Each structure stands twice: as C-alpha cells, then as structure tokens.
C-alpha cells in the first residue's frame, strides 16, 4: 500500500523530517523559502496532506480549486493564517501543535521583558559599536522588575507559564484579562487577579505581556487608544501574533514617550519591519524565536507526525482545530 503523500512548507528539524520520511511520501521545500498562494494551491492538489508553518498564509484563494489533500497539519499553535472556513468547505481538516511550546515561548516573553526594562539592547549595541566609556552612576538606568505589576492578556497555556515565571521568579503581582472567566483555582496558583476589561489592565500594569490569539478578532487589539491607556513608563511585550499590535501606533508611543519601552518577537508584516520601529531605541526585537529551542521545535514536529498518523489511520487527531 502506498504511503500518503505530504508536503512540508519549510525545512523542519532533521529528526522530524527523518521520522516523516519513514512513514510518508515526503516532499520537502529544499529552498526553505516561503511558498506562494499558487504553490500552496498546487500542493493541495498534488498531496494528501500539507504541513504549513505559522508564517505561511493559506487564505481562501488557496482552497478555491478542488484539492486532493484532506488535512492541513499546522506546525505551530496559532492557526489564524489558515482560512479554516474555506478549508472546511473543501472537506479539509486542520490541526495544530499546542502544549509543547508554552514554556519556551514564556521564556522568550520574560527575556524580552527583562531586556526592555534593563535597556539590555541599548547596552549591547553600545558595546559592539565601541562606544562604552565605562561604568558611571547615571549610565543606561532602567526599571526594576521585581515586585512590579504584570498584566497578562490571554491566559491560556503560555499566559499561565508567563504568570508562573513572574510570580515565583520575580514576586510580581499578576493581573489577567481573558475573554472568558478563568477558574479561581487557576488564578490562585499565581495569586493572580482577573480584571473586567483590557483598558483597566493596561492602566494598572507596569508591564503588559500579550498571549492572546491572532486573527481578525484581535487585529490591532493594541492600537493608539489602548496604548494611551498604559502608564507612561510601562512596557509592552508581544510574543503572540504580530497583527495584535498596531505597529505604527506603537512606534509613535515609543518615540513620543507614551510608554517606557517594548519587546517584540513578532511583527505585523514580518520579516518586514517598519523604519519607525527600527529607529526606536527603547524597543527590543527578536526574530520570532518564541519556540526556537531544539527540544521544542522537535516536539512540535513530532506532534504533527502524531496528528498525521491518527488522521491516516482513521482516528480523530488529538489536535484538531477545524
């Protein structure tokens, strides 16, 4: 019996590609460059499953032609880049990879928070440019993190891991804004308090960390109006999705002193970053490294393999989202 034919949209960790090759007829994207909509449309017509990543865009146009594929197995938690309704109309199931990247993404969020608060990016650039003249009492004075108030927007797995690090590691008071009520016993783990609305959280927090889903519902959730609700010295951290923050509004808030600083791992039009953001000295930027550890990237891939195996064996994949 022939193996199901699957396409991987980007290069994955070697161990994962090897396991996929054992079980399936695999087509690799050897160039490891983003595929176009036409390329994805062709892949859906020629393969039994297509395996995109969170930075691929599978809009309605990709699913227009009657496809051969019956499964889109996403490498990542977020799936707002996939038009799941268009996929469903063609009878295509969509899966993702939850659970396995929560800790490492929270680690990156805390990294950005600490770097922004302590002006680590500015300091590193100064040293590399040969401009450091030595220690002095007023040099690159930042903001203390321990004991401050952290507002977390979106209290799923990653948001809870961020709360764990903030509460137990830095003694921070944790405020939560979530679209649904969080169970009291979950909040109690971190001595956290759920607030009624986003504006209240923004106004009460020294640091705000975004862990909410992307997509149309949360596009520009943090816009000029919401940024104006933040304290002048507060910091915004985004490891969620780029579209959640209005980049131009954030650039203005940073350069005009509306907020104290920011740390971003994701961007609206990544890998393109606006010149205004690039010019903001009080901004720390990372190139979408949230899940970038060997352990996590392999675990994500093996989760995709498990979903594929379940699907082609006639079982319901554990990570079905649509």
């Amino acid at each position: 019996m022939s193996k199901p034919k699957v396409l991987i949209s980007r290069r994955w960790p070697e161990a994962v590609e090897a396991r996929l090759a054992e079980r399936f007829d695999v087509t690799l994207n050897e160039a490891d460059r983003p595929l176009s909509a036409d390329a994805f449309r062709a892949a859906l017509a020629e393969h039994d499953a297509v395996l995109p990543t969170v930075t691929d865009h599978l809009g309605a146009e990709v699913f227009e032609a009657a496809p051969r594929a019956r499964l889109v197995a996403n490498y990542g938690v977020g799936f707002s880049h996939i038009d799941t309704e268009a996929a469903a109309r063609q009878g295509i199931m969509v899966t993702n990879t939850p659970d396995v990247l929560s800790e490492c993404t929270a680690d990156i969020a805390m990294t950005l928070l600490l770097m922004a608060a302590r002006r680590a990016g500015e300091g590193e650039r100064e040293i590399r440019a040969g401009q450091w003249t030595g220690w002095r009492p007023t040099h690159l004075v930042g903001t203390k993190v321990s004991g401050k108030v952290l507002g977390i927007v979106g209290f799923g797995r990653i948001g809870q891991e961020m709360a764990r690090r903030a509460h137990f590691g830095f003694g921070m008071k944790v405020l939560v804004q979530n679209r649904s009520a969080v169970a009291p016993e979950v909040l109690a783990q971190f001595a956290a308090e759920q607030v009624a609305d986003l504006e209240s959280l923004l106004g009460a927090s020294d640091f705000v960390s975004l862990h909410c889903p992307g997509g149309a519902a949360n596009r520009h959730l943090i816009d000029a109006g919401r940024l104006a609700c933040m304290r002048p010295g507060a910091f915004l951290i985004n490891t969620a999705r780029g579209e959640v923050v209005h980049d131009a509004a954030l650039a203005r808030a940073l350069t005009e002193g509306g907020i104290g600083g920011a740390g971003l791992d994701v961007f609206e039009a990544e890998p393109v970053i606006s010149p205004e953001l690039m010019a903001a000295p009080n901004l720390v930027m990372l190139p979408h490294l949230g899940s970038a550890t060997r352990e996590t990237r392999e675990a994500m891939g093996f989760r995709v393999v498990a979903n594929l195996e379940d699907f082609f064996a006639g079982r319901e994949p554990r990570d079905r989202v649509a």
Side-chain angles (χ1 to χ4, degrees):
M1 185 173 180
S2 61
K3 297 178 180 178
K5 189 174 181 181
V6 303
L7 174 129
I8 309 174
S9 73
R10 301 297 296 268
R11 296 308 302 265
W12 289 9
E14 184 177 347
V16 180
E17 290 187 349
R19 187 173 297 184
L20 282 164
E22 291 173 0
R23 293 160 168 77
F24 305 99
D25 179 2
V26 174
T27 301
L28 296 175
N29 176 4
E30 297 285 359
D32 199 23
R33 295 191 180 94
L35 298 179
S36 66
D38 286 342
F40 273 114
R41 190 183 298 109
L44 287 166
E46 298 166 4
H47 297 79
D48 300 300
V50 170
L51 284 49
T53 70
V54 295
T55 57
D56 294 317
H57 179 71
L58 280 72
E61 70 280 4
V62 167
F63 300 100
E64 286 174 351
R68 166 179 167 178
R70 301 268 69 89
L71 176 66
V72 170
N74 187 52
Y75 182 93
V77 176
F79 52 92
S80 60
H81 56 292
I82 301 170
D83 190 323
T84 55
E85 293 183 358
R89 286 195 294 270
Q90 295 285 15
I92 299 175
M93 185 185 297
V94 179
T95 60
N96 70 342
T97 62
D99 303 323
V100 293
L101 50 70
S102 302
E103 292 182 340
C104 286
T105 304
D107 287 347
I108 280 289
M110 185 55 74
T111 299
L112 286 168
L113 188 154
L114 291 168
M115 290 181 70
R118 298 302 302 273
R119 302 177 68 177
E122 295 172 73
E124 202 264 355
R125 291 192 295 272
E126 183 178 279
I127 288 177
R128 287 188 179 276
Q131 296 174 348
W132 185 38
T133 59
W135 185 91
R136 58 189 187 276
T138 58
H139 182 230
L140 288 180
V141 174
T143 298
K144 183 179 179 180
V145 171
S146 295
K148 294 296 182 67
V149 178
L150 171 65
I152 297 178
V153 181
F155 210 56
R157 299 175 183 91
I158 301 173
Q160 290 175 35
E161 288 298 332
M162 184 62 170
R164 189 183 315 280
R165 285 149 180 72
H167 174 64
F168 292 106
F170 296 91
M172 301 181 82
K173 176 178 174 56
V174 176
L175 301 179
V176 173
Q177 199 276 324
N178 197 62
R179 59 187 173 186
S180 58
V182 179
E185 60 269 23
V186 174
L187 293 170
Q189 293 180 46
F190 319 106
E193 174 189 344
Q194 185 167 5
V195 298
D197 54 72
L198 180 54
E199 288 75 13
S200 298
L201 178 136
L202 294 172
S205 301
D206 300 302
F207 298 88
V208 175
S209 191
L210 305 177
H211 300 285
C212 52
N218 284 336
R219 180 171 177 79
H220 293 173
L221 180 72
I222 305 299
D223 57 10
R226 296 267 171 65
L227 287 164
C229 292
M230 294 179 64
R231 298 175 178 179
F235 295 81
L236 178 71
I237 310 299
N238 187 16
T239 57
R241 296 299 291 266
E243 67 265 20
V244 175
V245 177
H246 191 295
D247 278 0
L250 176 60
R252 287 193 297 271
L254 289 168
T255 56
E256 296 173 5
I259 63 174
L264 303 178
D265 189 43
V266 289
F267 305 87
E268 268 196 88
E270 63 182 66
V272 178
I273 301 173
S274 73
E276 293 78 14
L277 277 180
M278 291 286 284
N282 50 346
L283 171 64
V284 178
M285 296 179 285
L286 295 176
H288 208 145
L289 298 181
S291 62
T293 64
R294 178 185 56 79
E295 296 88 345
T296 294
R297 291 284 170 88
E298 288 185 355
M300 291 166 66
F302 294 142
R303 192 84 171 221
V304 173
V305 174
N307 286 323
L308 287 168
E309 290 177 335
D310 283 344
F311 180 83
F312 288 114
R315 301 184 296 267
E316 179 77 0
R318 64 183 293 189
D319 300 318
R320 179 176 182 172
V321 295

